[in-house]
Amino acid sequence: MTQLNHKTALVTGAAKRLGRAMALALAEQGVQVVVHYHTSEQEARAVQADIEQAGGHAVLCQADLSDTGQADALVGRAVALAGRPLDILINNASIFDEQVLLETTSEALALNMQVHAYTPLTLSRAFAAQDRLVCGQIINMLDSRVQDYDKLHVPYHLSKRSLMALTRMLAMDLAPRVAVNAVAPGLILAPAGHGQEYLENLAHTNPLNRYGAPQDIVEAMLFLVQSEFITGQVIYVDGGRHMKGHMYG
Ligand SMILES: NC(=O)c1ccc[n+]([C@@H]2O[C@H](COP(=O)([O-])OP(=O)(O)OC[C@H]3O[C@@H](n4cnc5c(N)ncnc54)[C@H](OP(=O)(O)O)[C@@H]3O)[C@@H](O)[C@H]2O)c1
């Protein structure tokens, strides 16, 4: 397994929730973390403070990743802020709005495709183009429901399925210098606007009959970024939920 000490990582959407957990976990392993955020400046500063209090290194980088120009520029800005090339890229930033198929608008589809597909693509290309990159690691955050049909979140679902396809396409095209893998969470944290009962009510739908914790995601991510011979892989961290259900009902 590769040692992470002295490496540098860019984690998008790292101010809160799973992005925060991954940023803190990488910093604990000795990784300098570029904490990207969009609107959550205060929370991002708290992540930076937590990392620095524990003896680690973190820098902050704000960008709206629904904006092509800002997405295209992010890796260059992150490298300048970190003062050295990136070794790890975690494409985590995400939106999760309800919209069914018959009401799906071009605006919602374009926004989701931008944040979940174009942004990871442009960040990955810029990441791979760095001069001094030795053996880079990219992790794309999917959703275990890419295996079935999330009827309530159609633009999200379509764009995460695109990111799943991109994971394998990038794994082929960026090899041998960069490994590209994905983590597909299931029930881990309740979506915005829902409490813990959301997870408790759905836990029984998983073969393992429970919901997961951010630490489950962290462990899968750490395993992948330290692996030396895995690329193009998706790890479902979902209590087995991806094996259930049918694509079209
Ligand atoms: N939570 C789960 O149980 C679960 C389940 C399945 C899949 N996932 C996947 O795992 C990843 C993390 O999940 P999460 O629930 O922790 O994510 P989240 O809270 O929904 O979003 C993470 C961050 O994305 C950032 N973001 C949103 N729009 C952005 C934009 N236009 N530009 C830049 N950043 C933007 C936000 O940053 P700011 O707050 O700074 O604005 C937000 O804090 C996501 O990719 C998600 O799809 C999570």
Side-chain angles (χ1 to χ4, degrees):
M1 302 289 268
T2 300
Q3 291 299 312
L4 295 179
N5 205 11
H6 302 309
K7 290 192 180 280
T8 299
L10 166 61
V11 183
T12 66
K16 299 195 278 197
R17 294 166 57 89
L18 298 185
R20 174 181 189 275
M22 290 189 283
L24 293 176
L26 285 164
E28 235 174 70
Q29 299 293 319
V31 176
Q32 175 182 207
V33 183
V34 182
V35 176
H36 159 267
Y37 66 96
H38 176 213
T39 57
S40 302
E41 181 178 351
Q42 208 179 329
E43 291 88 343
R45 289 197 185 284
V47 173
Q48 182 185 34
D50 286 350
I51 289 174
E52 288 176 350
Q53 261 163 33
H57 300 285
V59 291
L60 300 182
C61 194
Q62 192 278 341
D64 177 358
L65 298 179
S66 70
D67 179 285
T68 303
Q70 294 186 43
D72 290 344
L74 181 61
V75 166
R77 288 178 57 215
V79 169
L81 285 164
R84 55 194 219 210
L86 304 175
D87 306 288
I88 298 166
L89 166 64
I90 313 282
N91 284 311
N92 170 76
S94 182
I95 45 180
F96 188 59
D97 293 328
E98 276 195 25
Q99 201 161 74
V100 296
L101 185 71
L102 296 184
E103 290 166 10
T104 291
T105 60
S106 72
E107 290 80 9
L109 195 52
L111 176 63
N112 278 266
M113 289 300 286
Q114 185 80 24
V115 173
H116 301 144
Y118 179 74
T119 289
L121 170 61
T122 193
L123 294 183
S124 299
R125 283 192 303 225
F127 176 82
Q130 296 174 100
D131 277 348
R132 287 190 289 133
L133 180 72
V134 180
C135 185
Q137 290 281 353
I138 297 176
I139 306 293
N140 292 326
M141 296 302 290
L142 303 180
D143 186 304
S144 75
R145 299 207 61 193
V146 289
Q147 285 294 347
D148 58 37
Y149 176 20
D150 185 349
K151 291 166 81 93
L152 289 182
H153 305 93
V154 168
Y156 170 84
H157 181 70
L158 276 170
S159 57
K160 288 286 183 177
R161 284 186 72 86
S162 297
L163 184 55
M164 177 167 64
L166 271 172
T167 299
R168 295 181 67 131
M169 293 158 74
L170 286 165
M172 288 299 289
D173 284 15
L174 301 186
R177 290 176 72 231
V178 180
V180 187
N181 292 292
V183 174
L187 275 178
I188 307 287
L189 295 174
H194 295 270
Q196 199 68 5
E197 72 286 351
Y198 175 92
L199 301 173
E200 280 154 15
N201 292 340
L202 288 171
H204 73 279
T205 62
N206 289 333
L208 293 185
N209 198 27
R210 64 176 184 84
Y211 54 90
Q215 187 58 23
D216 296 312
I217 303 301
V218 161
E219 284 166 13
M221 178 278 294
L222 286 179
F223 167 72
L224 286 172
V225 297
Q226 291 176 92
S227 300
E228 294 180 351
F229 201 50
I230 298 178
T231 195
Q233 196 60 246
V234 179
I235 298 189
Y236 292 87
V237 186
D238 67 344
R241 184 171 169 164
H242 68 282
M243 295 181 290
K244 296 183 71 180
H246 301 282
M247 187 84 206
Y248 301 117

